[in-house]
Amino acid sequence: MASITIRNLDEPLKARLRVQAAVHGRSMEDEARDILRTALSREPAQPSNLAAAIRKRFAPLGGVELPDVPREAIREPPDFGS
């Protein structure tokens, strides 16, 4: 079985891990192992369609009617005297 070392873990976070481990009746190492196992066992979130996410977020606010803008024919590109 592999092992890892976690360096530069700040003291407040380490203290929280120690307390949580004590609450669950485990060692800090076992608690960290369980946290990693739980976090990594979830399926990663599927990337969503940005347009659909924006539409869903603003749908409760209602829609906005925009006027139709008349389209014109494409202009000829300028001739720079080539």
Side-chain angles (χ1 to χ4, degrees):
M1 187 144 311
S3 65
I4 62 171
T5 301
I6 302 173
R7 292 182 177 81
N8 301 322
L9 191 62
D10 59 346
E11 282 302 318
L13 186 59
K14 183 178 175 184
R16 287 178 57 199
L17 179 63
R18 184 180 308 115
V19 168
Q20 187 170 323
V23 167
H24 294 140
R26 300 189 264 228
S27 68
M28 286 177 47
E29 182 179 352
D30 194 31
E31 187 69 21
R33 208 176 3 256
D34 187 61
I35 291 169
L36 283 171
R37 188 180 305 111
T38 301
L40 298 176
S41 66
R42 298 183 195 129
E43 284 295 318
Q46 295 295 322
S48 61
N49 179 318
L50 180 59
I54 292 170
R55 204 173 291 116
K56 180 180 175 185
R57 182 170 198 98
F58 289 100
L61 302 176
V64 174
E65 293 297 322
L66 299 175
D68 287 335
V69 178
R71 296 180 176 244
E72 299 175 2
I74 298 175
R75 297 182 307 190
E76 289 294 321
D79 181 17
F80 295 111
S82 50

